[in-house]
Amino acid sequence: MKISPKSEVTINGKSNVNSFQCKYNSNYLEDEILVTTFKNNETKITLSNAKIAIKSKGFDCKNKMITKDFKTILKADDYDNINIELKELDINNNYLMTKLNIEIAGKSKEYVIPMAFNEKNSNVKGTLRLNIKDFNLKCPKKIFGLIEVNDNIDINFNLFLQY
């Protein structure tokens, strides 16, 4: 399975002044993923080796300073990748409850998030809201602390799969 370059991963965040969006360069998503599946029952599937490595330096926030700060938050100089491992799918019609493990800057946390699946175009969409403090990350404060970035961010997945 491959993730098509027409896929999108964006991160949305807010500060006390405005909001920002950082878009991932989807050309980095071309690696093939060899996935092993085990069907537990009619709706649950356990996955093995379903790992996606997102390059920490692959984000562009359309503003040089915000992009630089964002890569600093991710500790991109020390950690090349954000690792996502899909663990389990619970399928209910065209919706998936997805259990996944996220590793950012060497810290891991497990999440369960809903995702929509369109079988016709092999598209998977979902949003993961996380708090960067869960990964021991800190947002920089700008202008002597007058501008503060919110610790909660949304990671939006719009993935097109190729089999």
Side-chain angles (χ1 to χ4, degrees):
M1 173 177 70
K2 278 186 162 184
I3 298 174
S4 166
K6 71 178 182 178
S7 299
E8 292 183 334
V9 177
T10 57
I11 296 181
N12 296 328
K14 293 181 180 177
S15 72
N16 58 341
V17 176
N18 62 13
S19 59
F20 63 91
Q21 182 180 73
C22 301
K23 188 173 181 181
Y24 188 67
N25 181 343
S26 60
N27 290 326
Y28 292 128
L29 293 171
E30 294 185 41
D31 291 341
E32 189 164 352
I33 304 165
L34 301 174
V35 179
T36 306
T37 61
F38 305 97
K39 197 165 190 171
N40 296 353
N41 59 40
E42 289 300 313
T43 63
K44 252 188 196 164
I45 298 172
T46 301
L47 304 169
S48 178
N49 298 321
K51 298 176 183 178
I52 302 167
I54 295 176
K55 302 220 177 289
S56 299
K57 293 183 178 182
F59 288 94
D60 181 5
C61 306
K62 296 181 184 168
N63 175 301
K64 219 179 239 189
M65 290 303 296
I66 293 173
T67 300
K68 182 179 178 245
D69 287 347
F70 186 68
K71 291 175 182 178
T72 299
I73 291 168
L74 294 177
K75 300 180 181 178
D77 288 336
D78 298 324
Y79 298 93
D80 291 337
N81 296 318
I82 296 169
N83 296 305
I84 301 171
E85 182 178 7
L86 301 169
K87 307 286 257 171
E88 189 176 88
L89 303 174
D90 192 352
I91 304 165
N92 185 0
N93 293 327
N94 286 339
Y95 285 92
L96 306 171
M97 286 306 287
T98 308
K99 185 188 291 185
L100 47 86
N101 190 60
I102 305 272
E103 180 186 327
I104 303 173
K107 304 287 182 206
S108 294
K109 184 163 168 78
E110 191 171 271
Y111 294 90
V112 176
I113 62 168
M115 298 185 97
F117 178 64
N118 183 330
E119 196 170 358
K120 288 180 185 173
N121 62 3
S122 298
N123 175 242
V124 179
K125 286 184 180 180
T127 299
L128 169 62
R129 173 163 280 185
L130 58 83
N131 186 312
I132 64 164
K133 286 184 178 176
D134 291 344
F135 299 92
N136 295 336
L137 302 176
K138 294 179 188 170
C139 289
K141 293 183 180 182
K142 297 294 180 180
I143 310 176
F144 306 108
L146 294 175
I147 300 175
E148 292 185 28
V149 176
N150 190 310
D151 293 329
N152 294 307
I153 59 170
D154 290 331
I155 303 173
N156 299 301
F157 301 93
N158 185 16
L159 305 177
F160 291 90
L161 308 176
Q162 299 171 333
Y163 302 99

